[in-house]
Amino acid sequence: MDSSAIRIIRTVGLILSGVAICPVAAQSEDALRSRRGALVVLIGGMDSDPTPEQIAGKSPRYAGNSGLYRLRGDLHSPIVATEYFNWNGTRASRINSHPAPESAVIAETIRLHVRRNPRDFVILVGNSWGGHTTWEVCQALVDSSKPVAIDYVVF
């Protein structure tokens, strides 16, 4: 991993941690070089399904239902993969789907990414009811026959 990629990963860690120093930021360049990138999974709360304008990328920065959906777009880069889910496991604009897939589909999305990109950091961010879903996803990932390491969780 080159130094510009390391700066991006550190910046993501700082943005998500809300503090001046976090584990990613404190790691040495050599430790970070062994990592490739990051998967950031953002799970929105109740009534946080993005608006059609947000999904189309036409919403002003501070408009719409979902700040996490906006953050998804802000963080996405060649080395940072981002995924957004509603608290019930549905994708953006599908919050009223029945039955809702719940946390299992989010955990499977992460497992698939890690299989394809085993050196990526895994970062989960949940807001409101999405925080509860994030907890369920963490449980599913670590309490399985093939546990998946989670580097950072923000509730």
Side-chain angles (χ1 to χ4, degrees):
M1 181 182 304
D2 67 23
S3 60
S4 65
I6 290 170
R7 281 194 302 279
I8 291 171
I9 295 295
R10 282 187 172 154
T11 300
V12 168
L14 292 172
I15 289 169
L16 295 177
S17 71
V19 296
I21 295 179
C22 68
V24 170
Q27 289 185 21
S28 71
E29 297 248 345
D30 289 338
L32 286 171
R33 282 186 203 289
S34 68
R35 303 301 282 271
R36 183 179 152 304
L39 169 65
V40 180
V41 177
L42 301 125
I43 306 172
M46 186 72 79
D47 298 325
S48 293
D49 194 31
T51 62
E53 293 80 16
Q54 282 183 292
I55 293 168
K58 297 179 180 178
S59 178
R61 179 167 275 297
Y62 299 104
N65 295 337
S66 182
L68 284 183
Y69 187 81
R70 176 62 188 229
L71 181 60
R72 177 203 60 85
D74 292 343
L75 293 176
H76 188 80
S77 77
I79 63 163
V80 179
T82 56
E83 297 280 353
Y84 177 85
F85 292 91
N86 291 303
W87 67 272
N88 62 358
T90 57
R91 294 290 188 158
S93 81
R94 308 253 186 245
I95 197 161
N96 294 319
S97 298
H98 293 288
E102 301 182 356
S103 58
V105 74
I106 302 171
E108 188 54 36
T109 299
I110 295 167
R111 282 189 189 98
L112 180 61
H113 180 92
V114 169
R115 255 182 261 141
R116 292 178 179 162
N117 305 280
R119 295 184 309 157
D120 279 6
F121 290 96
V122 176
I123 302 167
L124 283 82
V125 180
N127 176 57
S128 185
W129 278 77
H132 178 77
T133 303
T134 301
W135 177 255
E136 290 176 346
V137 170
C138 291
Q139 286 181 313
L141 291 172
V142 299
D143 293 340
S144 69
S145 61
K146 294 184 178 182
V148 173
I150 305 161
D151 295 290
Y152 303 96
V153 178
V154 180
F155 295 99

